[in-house]
Amino acid sequence: MNALTIDNILSNPKNLERILDNMKDGIIAHDLSRRIFYFNRKAEEITGYRREAVIGKDCHEALGGPFCGSRCSFCDGQPIFLDTAEYPVNIITRGGEPRRLEMTATMMRDENDTEVGVLATFRDVTDLFELRVKARAMTGFSNIIGCDNKMVEVFRQIKDVSVYDYPVHISGETGTGKELVANAIHNESLRAGSPFVPINCGALPEGLIESELFGHVKGAFSGAIRDKKGRFELASKGTIFLDEIAELPKLLQVKLLRFLQEGTFEKVGGEKTASVDVRVISATNKDLKREVLKGSFREDLFYRLNVIPIHIPPIRERKSDIPLLVDHFLSKAPVVQGQRPVRIAQEALNMLMDYSWPGNVRELQNAVQFAIVRCKGKVIRPEDLPLELKKVVFEKPKRGPLRKLEAEMVKTALTKTGGNKARAAKVLGVGRATLYRFLGDHPQVLADG
């Protein structure tokens, strides 16, 4: 009997189907009209849809919308598609469960090199995120750097909210990275691939902000020589980020409230009612609830915006992230040919750890860039840091040699001080930088606490 060859096996459609059904990746194939003609067993398991319910149907209709989110090349008109595209996508299963997938979409061609359809393979990586959290293995998420417990919770909120279109309100001090978080929510959502449009509500004159948000028609005011689209229209099918929302004038608050309630607006000087599909994310460095009590911000608008609140902690509350951030900023520094990358001396890092950072991550980035210039691209030492950091007075043990820290004694000190690391360092008789380094090397201490 002749040995079976690969060609013999694959020439039988049933054999090929068995092979694909036993793969660990989900597989969907559709033609150029989005009609699904293949859906393997793993695709059923991941999505919750049965193959007999989707085969022969438009993938958008069969799967409750574009499976690829805004990255779908078959939503409007003639598809524009590269040979292969790889990206993460968040989906809602047939049972209503949010899942995160890593997807690879490939254009299929026939023997004449004519495009005939798309083959998408995908893997469920939802549980990998939780495993990384439990293992304390996270150093960042969606272009945001951090490993502190408070930042990991922010990462979890970004992931959880990304599959929904509810309004999100981000609070945090100046320089904490509110726009980065807003961008991450957009990039993790089904709207990724569509526009992310930011606008600073406090940076524009009151007379111009309505036109910037909603656009105007020709002749609406002096200088309006043509129709203009506002930021809401520019963000169509994507996300608009309203930074410093507390600075929005009362009249514009009313118009924004109407949009959030009805999804409609009128351009300045226009009579036609327009509608647009956008997700709204807002942010402020003020206490918006306090602004409501002061009467400067509408309460009904506050509740419309604050559906999903996310708070970004200041850097002084997550100092274990400072070494990670410094390494990140140093990695972005230009390297002169023939020289080693810039590094930072431990004494200089200690000073960065002891500083309170009123300007948060933005100020830290500026300090590192200043030091890179001062050290002439070699090693950053204390004398290379900005003047305000040089004034930092290190806390020293009152007497005796440096103590060797142990996990149990650190846990006890943190419990005694209610989790206040600065006070715990005093109880232990060590400098804050020493305690932060210990916690960075022994993350289970905080996790167990």
Side-chain angles (χ1 to χ4, degrees):
M1 183 183 293
N2 294 330
L4 287 175
T5 66
I6 294 296
D7 287 341
N8 294 145
I9 294 172
L10 296 183
S11 63
N12 185 331
K14 286 293 183 184
N15 287 333
L16 181 58
E17 185 173 333
R18 290 189 190 98
I19 292 171
L20 296 178
D21 266 343
N22 282 282
M23 291 185 69
K24 294 183 178 180
D25 289 351
I27 301 174
I28 296 177
H30 67 72
D31 60 23
L32 296 181
S33 298
R34 300 195 312 225
R35 299 288 170 184
I36 298 173
F37 60 83
Y38 187 75
F39 200 77
N40 77 339
R41 187 177 297 152
K42 194 66 177 180
E44 290 183 309
E45 180 184 323
I46 292 173
T47 67
Y49 291 90
R50 303 296 298 173
R51 77 177 78 187
E52 52 266 24
V54 301
I55 293 294
K57 294 184 179 179
D58 183 314
C59 66
H60 288 195
E61 296 174 5
L63 301 173
F67 189 68
C68 305
S70 291
R71 293 181 177 90
C72 178
S73 299
F74 291 80
C75 285
D76 299 303
Q78 185 67 24
I80 301 173
F81 196 80
L82 301 176
D83 282 346
T84 301
E86 298 181 3
Y87 47 85
V89 63
N90 294 296
I91 68 164
I92 299 291
T93 68
R94 186 175 183 276
E97 184 180 7
R99 306 299 292 178
R100 180 178 176 82
L101 311 180
E102 292 289 347
M103 179 175 289
T104 301
T106 303
M107 179 63 76
M108 296 185 293
R109 291 180 169 84
D110 62 17
E111 61 274 11
N112 298 317
D113 204 34
T114 302
E115 296 174 350
V116 295
V118 171
L119 177 72
T121 63
F122 51 93
R123 180 168 297 183
D124 190 342
V125 295
T126 309
D127 295 336
L128 289 179
F129 179 89
E130 294 301 328
L131 287 173
R132 289 176 65 200
V133 170
K134 290 177 182 177
R136 299 282 300 176
M138 296 199 74
T139 57
F141 179 75
S142 195
N143 298 320
I144 305 173
I145 306 298
C147 65
D148 184 271
N149 283 342
K150 292 179 179 178
M151 285 307 296
V152 171
E153 181 57 31
V154 171
F155 299 157
R156 194 193 301 272
Q157 288 179 287
I158 292 171
K159 181 181 73 71
D160 290 345
V161 77
S162 62
V163 293
Y164 303 100
D165 262 348
Y166 302 133
V168 177
H169 180 67
I170 304 168
S171 60
E173 296 178 6
T174 298
T176 48
K178 295 185 286 294
E179 185 169 340
L180 271 179
V181 171
N183 213 329
I185 293 170
H186 171 75
N187 289 334
E188 293 294 317
S189 75
L190 295 177
R191 294 179 180 270
S194 292
F196 174 81
V197 180
I199 183 170
N200 189 320
C201 298
L204 291 170
E206 187 170 338
L208 292 178
I209 191 166
E210 183 178 1
S211 172
E212 283 295 318
L213 286 176
F214 300 114
H216 63 251
V217 299
K218 180 180 178 181
F221 50 82
S222 178
I225 59 175
R226 57 179 176 81
D227 288 358
K228 177 186 175 181
K229 288 184 177 181
R231 300 295 178 94
F232 276 86
E233 282 186 277
L234 294 174
S236 179
K237 297 185 179 179
T239 302
I240 187 167
F241 174 54
L242 304 174
D243 199 7
E244 303 304 339
I245 190 69
E247 307 302 323
L248 198 66
K250 275 290 190 69
L251 177 62
L252 267 297
Q253 291 180 30
V254 175
K255 295 199 171 187
L256 177 58
L257 177 64
R258 180 193 171 190
F259 177 81
L260 290 170
Q261 290 174 331
E262 303 174 11
T264 61
F265 63 92
E266 284 90 31
K267 292 186 176 185
V268 176
E271 297 179 351
K272 293 182 179 179
T273 298
S275 62
V276 67
D277 173 25
V278 300
R279 181 185 197 163
V280 176
I281 301 178
S282 60
T284 183
N285 58 4
K286 295 183 178 181
D287 183 338
L288 208 53
K289 187 65 174 176
R290 184 176 298 173
E291 297 300 309
V292 170
L293 295 174
K294 285 167 53 179
S296 60
F297 200 84
R298 292 181 62 99
E299 185 174 24
D300 45 7
L301 179 57
F302 168 76
Y303 287 115
R304 282 285 180 178
L305 292 171
N306 199 49
V307 177
I308 309 290
I310 296 179
H311 177 71
I312 309 176
I315 200 170
R316 64 179 175 275
E317 294 180 6
R318 52 182 181 101
K319 289 200 170 182
S320 58
D321 284 345
I322 290 178
L324 278 177
L325 289 162
V326 171
D327 286 345
H328 173 71
F329 297 143
L330 290 178
S331 72
K332 299 295 183 181
V335 179
V336 178
Q337 189 173 5
Q339 288 189 357
R340 293 180 179 179
V342 184
R343 60 186 182 87
I344 186 167
Q346 188 61 52
E347 298 86 351
L349 183 58
N350 290 345
M351 291 179 68
L352 298 182
M353 296 287 285
D354 277 329
Y355 186 59
S356 61
W357 299 108
N360 290 293
V361 178
R362 188 180 299 142
E363 185 185 7
L364 174 61
Q365 181 179 19
N366 292 346
V368 172
Q369 291 173 345
F370 176 91
I372 289 170
V373 174
R374 284 289 299 272
C375 78
K376 297 180 173 60
K378 296 179 182 177
V379 179
I380 296 174
R381 303 191 184 281
E383 58 269 23
D384 300 317
L385 297 174
L387 181 62
E388 57 267 27
L389 272 76
K390 296 178 186 177
K391 297 176 181 177
V392 173
V393 179
F394 288 100
E395 295 181 25
K396 299 288 185 182
K398 293 182 179 178
R399 62 172 67 90
L402 287 172
R403 299 181 64 183
K404 182 178 179 181
L405 297 179
E406 295 177 357
E408 285 303 318
M409 63 190 291
V410 172
K411 284 183 193 177
T412 301
L414 287 170
T415 301
K416 185 181 296 185
T417 60
N420 187 306
K421 298 185 185 73
R423 288 169 54 200
K426 288 183 180 180
V427 170
L428 293 165
V430 299
R432 281 183 291 170
T434 300
L435 177 58
Y436 290 135
R437 284 196 298 274
F438 179 88
L439 293 174
D441 293 334
H442 302 81
Q444 73 277 5
V445 173
L446 288 174
D448 295 344

